[in-house]
Amino acid sequence: MKRTANIGALAAMLLAGSLAQAADPLAAISTAARTDKAFSGFSAERGAALWERKGKDWSCSTCHTTDPRQAGRHTVTGKVIKPMAPASNPARFTDSAKVEKWFKRNCRDVFNRECTAQEKGDVITWLRSIKP
Amino acid sequence: MNTTRDLQRLSAATALCLVFLSAPLAARADGAKKPAPTNPVWQEECGGCHVAYPPRFLPAESWKSMMGSLDRHFGTDASLDARAAATIEAFLVQNAKRSKTGQKADGSILRITETKWFRSEHDEISAAKWKSPAVGSAANCAACHPNAEKGSFRERDIKVP
């Protein structure tokens, strides 16, 4: 009996934990994007175009390849990067802190500036639209 | 009461001595004398872009300076939130390469491949081999050291592709 109760409590804790993390990272980005009056939603098409846009030396596709269903490779260190499309890698875009950390770093690497909420939302929308 | 405290102090001091005494053993290139120190934040964050290079590869001064310039990290932005950065820096400094007594560590070198020991350990590797597709970059330790991800670089494990 006691054991069942313990398992129940553990399950409740795990559920609460996963619910706390379950907020969609795109929701927060969308809230930020809406502060711009001109905002009219995200576009997968614009996201796809941004993916290929070359900044200083690189584009997103330099490391992540032109097919986000495939694994990429860090252009400097050679480290394999898991696919960015949730169709191939469901863990993508499930953790807001991770999403923001990588957008910040990688947009600075590629475009020498941080990306706007519009750009981030467009890219996520595109990557999520890709079928397996 | 005092005895307990003294004992605690003594054991802390002993532990500290052991740490210092065992450090040179762990610092030997092929010395798998004890498991390499690890830290989950270091593994996750540093290992996100490359092998999480063992702290023993650079002196504390080098690590401190590297952790202070993560937004310009060898041509890329590797910035971290302050909490993760502090955790990683403490781990790196605590397990850093220790200089021989009386010698001052050279903290100006940030690139592991520019250190004297790295160069001498790899002097038989030709420029062509470094550039071969299987290796690609000296940052790719795992190309020849299959257990690099686990912090082990033992001589007998080496397989040059």
Side-chain angles (χ1 to χ4, degrees):
Chain A
M1 245 338 245
K2 199 174 174 197
R3 197 173 201 184
T4 323
N6 281 344
I7 291 170
L10 186 69
M13 270 168 62
L14 287 173
L15 185 67
S18 62
L19 282 177
Q21 287 175 357
D24 181 2
L26 188 60
I29 291 171
S30 176
T31 307
R34 265 190 230 109
T35 57
D36 182 351
K37 278 182 209 144
F39 178 70
S40 62
F42 295 125
S43 145
E45 218 164 277
R46 272 198 307 262
L50 186 71
W51 188 261
E52 294 295 340
R53 193 185 305 157
K54 200 173 160 198
K56 286 184 287 179
D57 303 305
W58 301 330
S59 62
C60 305
S61 62
T62 305
C63 296
H64 295 295
T65 82
T66 50
D67 181 357
R69 292 169 302 182
Q70 304 296 320
R73 202 176 244 279
H74 194 294
T75 187
V76 180
T77 69
K79 174 135 184 151
V80 171
I81 306 169
K82 289 179 195 151
M84 292 308 298
S88 310
N89 181 5
R92 291 299 184 202
F93 311 113
T94 55
D95 176 341
S96 256
K98 225 172 185 173
V99 169
E100 289 303 333
K101 179 179 82 180
W102 285 105
F103 265 124
K104 181 178 167 189
R105 293 170 165 183
N106 292 356
C107 288
R108 281 181 180 171
D109 287 342
V110 174
F111 302 118
N112 214 7
R113 62 170 174 84
E114 290 189 30
C115 285
T116 62
Q118 176 80 61
E119 288 168 327
K120 292 189 259 190
D122 288 344
V123 167
I124 295 177
T125 302
W126 174 59
L127 290 169
R128 282 184 171 171
S129 75
I130 295 171
K131 302 275 185 292
Chain B
M1 204 42 195
N2 276 341
T3 324
T4 320
R5 197 170 289 167
D6 285 348
L7 265 176
Q8 276 174 351
R9 266 192 208 140
L10 188 66
S11 57
T14 314
L16 204 62
C17 285
L18 281 174
V19 166
F20 279 108
L21 284 173
S22 57
L25 288 178
R28 278 189 197 138
D30 60 345
K33 301 278 196 288
K34 61 171 192 179
T38 64
N39 173 283
V41 186
W42 161 78
Q43 187 65 58
E44 161 82 16
E45 298 296 348
C46 307
C49 297
H50 48 68
V51 169
Y53 301 120
R56 67 178 192 273
F57 283 8
L58 289 174
E61 289 310 313
S62 301
W63 289 126
K64 282 185 203 163
S65 130
M66 195 178 304
M67 293 306 292
S69 57
L70 280 181
D71 57 332
R72 299 176 311 279
H73 187 68
F74 305 108
T76 64
D77 185 317
S79 49
L80 280 172
D81 67 80
R83 213 169 125 196
T87 305
I88 294 170
E89 182 170 334
F91 168 73
L92 291 171
V93 167
Q94 192 188 354
N95 298 290
K97 180 182 170 68
R98 301 191 200 276
S99 51
K100 290 182 189 129
T101 336
Q103 278 183 11
K104 206 170 178 291
D106 180 3
S108 63
I109 293 181
L110 300 190
R111 239 179 237 285
I112 293 165
T113 50
E114 286 172 3
T115 61
K116 228 187 263 174
W117 76 258
F118 183 97
R119 289 202 208 183
S120 87
E121 290 285 345
H122 297 86
D123 58 358
E124 74 277 27
I125 308 294
S126 68
K129 183 58 82 182
W130 284 120
K131 288 195 186 117
S132 68
V135 180
S137 152
N140 187 11
C141 306
C144 307
H145 302 273
N147 297 315
E149 293 277 359
K150 290 180 220 143
S152 169
F153 292 80
R154 286 194 307 189
E155 196 87 32
R156 72 172 111 131
D157 295 338
I158 298 173
K159 283 197 187 81
V160 179

